[in-house]
Amino acid sequence: MKRILLIFATVLCAASLARAEHFRIELTVKGTSDEATAHSDTDPPPQGTQPRPVCHVKRGEPFTIQFFFSSNFPHDVQKNVTVRFFVAPERAAGKKSPPDRDKPPVTESNFLMDFKPDTGRVGLRQRLRIDRPGAYLVKVGSEHSDSDHEHFAAVDLVVD
C-alpha cells in the first residue's frame, strides 16, 4: 500500500511540475460600481483558454487598471522579455475577439525586462477615462519569452 501511495504522489507531483507556467499575472479593472479580475492564460490558442471577465463603466467615469506580472520560473533568468500592456477598442465584449485594428489604442506601453528566477516582477496602476462608448480589450502579456507559448491576462471593458 505504501508503494502505491508513493507512486501516486510521484505521478501527481510530476504532473503539477509539467503544468508549471513561467509567469503569474493578475489584472484588475475597477470602476465606481463594477470590477473584474483576470489571471494568467496562455497563447496559443490565440485568445487563450479562459473566458474574459467583463467590467462595465460609464462614459467619462474614471476607472483604475492595475496589474502585477511575476516570474515563477525557478530555473534560470528569462532575458529580454517584453511585457506589453494596452487598452484598445474591440468589436464586441465577451467574444474573445482581437482588438479592432482599424482604431488606435486608448493607451499602450511596453517593458523590456530580465526576470530573475521566482523574483522578477513588474506592476502598473493607471487611472483612465474613456469618453467614447463601446467595447474595449484591456490586456497585459509577454512577448519573446523564449517559450513555445506566451502568457497574458485580459478583461473586456464595456463603456456605456
Side-chain angles (χ1 to χ4, degrees):
M1 183 67 167
K2 287 183 182 179
R3 184 178 173 116
I4 292 172
L5 286 174
L6 181 61
I7 291 170
F8 178 74
T10 302
V11 168
L12 186 63
C13 182
S16 69
L17 286 174
R19 285 192 311 262
E21 292 296 339
H22 299 106
F23 298 104
R24 184 175 39 256
I25 307 167
E26 182 177 296
L27 169 66
T28 302
V29 179
K30 185 176 184 178
T32 56
S33 60
D34 198 10
E35 179 177 344
T37 299
H39 298 278
S40 302
D41 203 344
T42 57
D43 178 354
Q47 299 301 318
T49 59
Q50 301 173 20
R52 292 199 297 241
V54 178
C55 181
H56 293 266
V57 298
K58 293 182 180 170
R59 182 177 65 141
E61 168 188 287
F63 63 94
T64 303
I65 298 170
Q66 177 175 292
F67 71 79
F68 296 104
F69 192 105
S70 309
S71 171
N72 59 355
F73 187 67
H75 304 297
D76 200 1
V77 174
Q78 292 182 313
K79 294 185 178 197
N80 298 320
V81 175
T82 300
V83 177
R84 181 172 182 240
F85 162 71
F86 65 87
V87 178
E90 62 180 343
R91 287 179 172 70
K95 302 273 187 195
K96 280 195 161 192
S97 58
D100 188 345
R101 302 270 184 215
D102 297 331
K103 298 178 182 172
V106 173
T107 188
E108 64 181 325
S109 59
N110 295 298
F111 305 90
L112 182 62
M113 304 224 7
D114 291 344
F115 285 92
K116 293 180 181 177
D118 287 327
T119 60
R121 181 177 174 150
V122 66
L124 173 90
R125 182 178 171 96
Q126 186 170 8
R127 197 157 170 92
L128 295 171
R129 293 175 204 259
I130 298 177
D131 293 326
R132 176 171 279 170
Y136 295 83
L137 174 60
V138 180
K139 186 173 181 179
V140 60
S142 65
E143 294 179 353
H144 316 295
S145 65
D146 200 23
S147 174
D148 63 347
H149 60 277
E150 297 297 342
H151 303 83
F152 72 92
V155 171
D156 285 335
L157 175 66
V158 177
V159 178
D160 298 315

